[in-house]
Amino acid sequence: MMAFVLMAYTMTVAAKSDALKAITKSKVYAEASQLLQTNLAQLADNAEKAEAYNHLVDLAMASVQEKEKAGDMTGLCDDLCLAIENTFECDKYDRMPDAKGVVKPKFADKNAQRLWDKRKYLLNVGDDFRQKEDAKNAMKYWTPYLETFESPIFRNNEMISKVITLEQETIDQVALLACYLTYQLKEKNNVIKYAEIAKKNDKYKEDAFKLQIGAMLMDLKTKEDSLNCLNQLKQMYEADPENDVVFENLNNMYDGMKDKAAQNAFIDGHLAKYPNSYIAMAAKGFVAIGENNADEAAKWLRKATEVKADNAVIWTYLGICLNVIAANSEDVAAGQKVYDEAIAAFDKAKELDPNKTTNWGYNRYQAYYGRYGENDPKTKAAEADIR
């Protein structure tokens, strides 16, 4: 009987395939990795594939420890990236059902625990490259850092799940920076992916939305591209109708597609729900400007300034509209009053924008010229402000 049991045990131990034995026998990462790629199909089952990838994790982490002692941070992070990559592959097979249909993950907790604390190196080395304006290398290290945070391997680990929220603020900030970097690299899908993380944080929400929508607008080459983007923006608006960034870009999309009927219906519908919406009032004013309707434009831009008085662009365009109204007035006295209002608008623009980025200078001079004449000292002073 003892001999029979010993024989059965020996048969169980010997059940490992030759391919797995060759992979796990190798102590050099590059060699083991090559053997795995070459012999993946020869591995007996998902359990063997998980074990083979876990062996690569073992080798990569051994190198991480050596380079940590040597102070080679970049080399350490290169090996850590390999360890994380193989952890994901290991987990993919580790969570597949065995011959009996049972899922028994064997390596998840061990890999989660030994990788979690080391991730800080990826954060630091990635930021070093960001500060050197090397977006590609920064993302080389930040991508696995962010992916580990999102991965169920780590989130489902009992120990890590207790501390993971302490890192949320850092993750959100890195995700926003990753949006900027991937935007520079023109990696549309990655910008959108990282924006989904960053925009959950109120501090980063506006910038994340801007970058996400900017990525959506990348490479719109056909009408179908534009319609797809328009539909995505509509969905975002329906989900978050009070988001000014989404409103502005959806309005701009209608404007760019020359769909005035849809644009006006969109703005009017928004104002019906949110009558004090500053951005909708401003949009209504700019639509009227495009239609050369100075009276309607001034009406809505004036309303906008009553809600929010700190935008030099709105004050400048209000002044321009008022200049047109005053110049076209057949009643001289009434025209003078409108010029006074235009001057007040331009003076406010000057206060908010002393560097004249909104080009209030010449338009302001026109208002003073119309109101006081060419030789009045106030007109001369306004002329000097153009320079």
Side-chain angles (χ1 to χ4, degrees):
M1 178 64 72
M2 288 181 63
F4 177 78
V5 172
L6 179 61
M7 181 178 69
Y9 175 76
T10 304
M11 290 174 64
T12 303
V13 171
K16 287 188 179 181
S17 67
D18 291 339
L20 180 59
K21 284 192 242 181
I23 292 165
T24 54
K25 183 179 178 181
S26 175
K27 302 303 178 187
V28 178
Y29 177 88
E31 179 185 66
S33 179
Q34 182 61 47
L35 284 169
L36 192 158
Q37 298 308 316
T38 304
N39 296 287
L40 184 62
Q42 278 69 54
L43 293 171
D45 52 22
N46 292 325
E48 284 207 347
K49 291 173 183 176
E51 186 173 345
Y53 276 107
N54 189 68
H55 181 64
L56 294 186
V57 179
D58 290 340
L59 295 177
M61 288 305 294
S63 184
V64 165
Q65 289 175 345
E66 291 174 5
K67 290 176 181 175
E68 186 174 25
K69 292 175 184 177
D72 179 4
M73 292 298 103
T74 303
L76 179 158
C77 285
D78 288 336
D79 290 331
L80 192 55
C81 288
L82 293 176
I84 291 169
E85 177 185 343
N86 286 293
T87 292
F88 290 148
E89 285 299 304
C90 171
D91 195 64
K92 179 175 73 175
Y93 293 108
D94 202 20
R95 292 183 188 277
M96 290 181 180
D98 61 19
K100 296 181 180 179
V102 178
V103 176
K104 294 180 180 178
K106 182 179 178 182
F107 304 105
D109 282 342
K110 175 186 176 183
N111 286 335
Q113 289 170 18
R114 62 177 167 174
L115 285 168
W116 184 256
D117 287 339
K118 302 293 183 187
R119 294 160 58 258
K120 64 180 180 291
Y121 294 119
L122 296 173
L123 177 63
N124 296 334
V125 170
D127 197 49
D128 288 342
F129 280 106
R130 180 189 67 86
Q131 293 184 47
K132 295 173 185 175
E133 300 184 354
D134 186 343
K136 189 172 182 178
N137 272 315
M139 288 312 304
K140 174 182 175 182
Y141 301 110
W142 276 1
T143 297
Y145 174 76
L146 292 166
E147 286 178 348
T148 52
F149 189 81
E150 292 293 303
S151 171
I153 304 172
F154 298 91
R155 287 192 169 270
N156 293 342
N157 179 274
E158 185 177 354
M159 180 187 75
I160 293 171
S161 65
K162 294 177 180 178
V163 299
I164 198 168
T165 54
L166 300 176
E167 204 172 323
Q168 188 66 57
E169 181 68 24
T170 299
I171 288 288
D172 295 342
Q173 185 177 18
V174 173
L176 180 64
L177 292 171
C179 285
Y180 283 107
L181 296 177
T182 50
Y183 192 90
Q184 292 173 23
L185 296 169
K186 300 188 184 301
E187 295 176 356
K188 175 180 177 178
N189 292 335
N190 283 331
V191 178
I192 294 170
K193 178 173 73 174
Y194 297 129
E196 288 295 334
I197 300 172
K199 70 185 186 183
K200 294 174 185 175
N201 188 315
D202 288 341
K203 287 194 290 186
Y204 310 127
K205 181 177 180 179
E206 183 175 346
D207 287 339
F209 263 108
K210 287 178 180 178
L211 288 160
Q212 182 177 20
I213 294 172
M216 289 164 54
L217 296 171
M218 282 181 182
D219 301 323
L220 298 182
K221 297 177 181 177
T222 66
K223 185 176 181 180
E224 184 179 3
D225 292 339
S226 296
L227 288 172
N228 287 336
C229 185
L230 179 67
N231 288 331
Q232 289 174 347
L233 285 168
K234 285 181 180 178
Q235 292 171 8
M236 293 172 74
Y237 175 76
E238 288 171 5
D240 191 2
E242 295 185 76
N243 188 310
D244 287 349
V245 175
V246 176
F247 175 93
E248 182 179 12
N249 281 277
L250 183 51
N251 177 60
N252 290 342
M253 197 76 189
Y254 282 124
D255 189 59
M257 297 176 74
K258 310 297 182 188
D259 193 344
K260 291 298 179 185
Q263 183 181 19
N264 283 318
F266 168 60
I267 297 171
D268 290 342
H270 189 83
L271 282 168
K273 290 187 289 185
Y274 309 104
N276 292 320
S277 171
Y278 166 80
I279 195 165
M281 292 175 182
K284 191 84 171 167
F286 282 111
V287 168
I289 289 173
E291 296 170 347
N292 294 315
N293 189 337
D295 289 291
E296 184 72 3
K299 167 188 165 183
W300 286 103
L301 294 178
R302 191 183 291 113
K303 284 176 178 287
T305 63
E306 290 168 0
V307 172
K308 189 170 180 285
D310 62 354
N311 191 317
V313 173
I314 301 300
W315 284 109
T316 298
Y317 277 93
L318 173 58
I320 290 171
C321 293
L322 293 169
N323 269 356
V324 172
I325 295 169
N328 292 335
S329 177
E330 295 180 359
D331 184 329
V332 175
Q336 296 290 71
K337 288 183 179 180
V338 179
Y339 272 128
D340 284 339
E341 188 182 356
I343 287 169
F346 287 125
D347 285 351
K348 186 65 176 179
K350 177 184 176 182
E351 174 192 330
L352 294 169
D353 177 30
N355 295 322
K356 296 189 283 290
T357 58
T358 58
N359 197 28
W360 51 260
Y362 182 73
N363 292 294
R364 180 170 174 270
Y365 166 68
Q366 281 188 316
Y368 274 95
Y369 188 100
R371 175 66 177 86
Y372 297 109
E374 180 180 6
N375 297 316
D376 189 280
K378 289 186 284 293
T379 305
K380 294 295 183 183
E383 185 178 18
D385 277 338
I386 297 173
R387 304 182 190 95

